[in-house]
Amino acid sequence: MQLINVPLTAGKHTLVVTYREDGAKLDKICISNSADAPSGLGNDAKNICNADTTTTGFEYIQTIKGYSVKQNYPNPFADKTIISFEIPKPTYVSLVIYDIRGTEIAQLAGKEFSQGKHSVEFDAKKLTQGHYFYTIKSGQFTMSRRMVLQAE
């Protein structure tokens, strides 16, 4: 086990987790303001991390070959949410919302986008609360994320 102890200052930080081969698995990760590391390898690891009440949330971003898709924000959301993505070159982008059964609910993008960062607003006022998914496709890149619609 490799322990990396990096003191952080107040503000926004990015944690990037990468893998070297398909099928690689992450056994444990602990983000804590404690100086003690989790113990144990393999089975039945001990969680010695206490809840960090100063952390307000995580922004999940996955980047593959210059493409990235952020978790919608806010999530959970009550009526509207923003989905942000980045593409490395001008290309056609499809962004579709699905319900939990896989039924297409809305198409938010289905056009050519320029290189760079983009954001699309999803208005879900007419939908019932529950779990929904959005899938972005651009060239060989495809990624899906889950989002939660809550009643106001």
Side-chain angles (χ1 to χ4, degrees):
M1 176 173 76
Q2 181 179 6
L3 173 63
I4 301 171
N5 188 355
V6 179
L8 298 176
T9 58
K12 188 174 181 177
H13 301 276
T14 302
L15 170 67
V16 177
V17 178
T18 61
Y19 61 94
R20 287 187 351 184
E21 58 192 49
D22 290 339
K25 295 183 176 153
L26 176 64
D27 184 33
K28 294 170 207 62
I29 188 167
C30 175
I31 299 173
S32 172
N33 55 5
S34 171
D36 298 323
S39 61
L41 296 173
N43 298 333
D44 300 319
K46 296 177 186 175
N47 183 0
I48 62 168
C49 298
N50 296 324
D52 180 358
T53 57
T54 62
T55 300
T56 57
F58 292 95
E59 178 182 30
Y60 179 71
I61 305 170
Q62 184 168 357
T63 303
I64 299 173
K65 297 179 184 173
Y67 294 89
S68 68
V69 180
K70 291 185 177 184
Q71 183 65 49
N72 63 299
Y73 182 82
N75 190 38
F77 65 103
D79 57 357
K80 293 181 181 181
T81 189
I82 302 292
I83 299 170
S84 298
F85 60 93
E86 184 173 1
I87 54 176
K89 60 185 177 184
T91 188
Y92 180 87
V93 175
S94 168
L95 177 56
V96 180
I97 308 296
Y98 299 94
D99 68 12
I100 195 78
R101 292 180 299 252
T103 303
E104 184 176 317
I105 300 300
Q107 186 164 132
L108 302 182
K111 64 179 186 176
E112 189 86 13
F113 280 83
S114 61
Q115 173 186 352
K117 297 179 182 182
H118 303 276
S119 295
V120 178
E121 183 178 76
F122 175 50
D123 185 341
K125 289 179 188 171
K126 296 180 182 178
L127 298 176
T128 59
Q129 71 179 13
H131 293 257
Y132 292 85
F133 296 88
Y134 56 97
T135 298
I136 188 168
K137 295 179 183 179
S138 180
Q140 298 296 315
F141 175 78
T142 300
M143 182 166 294
S144 296
R145 295 259 188 264
R146 181 176 60 128
M147 58 185 168
V148 180
L149 174 60
Q150 293 182 334
E152 288 190 75

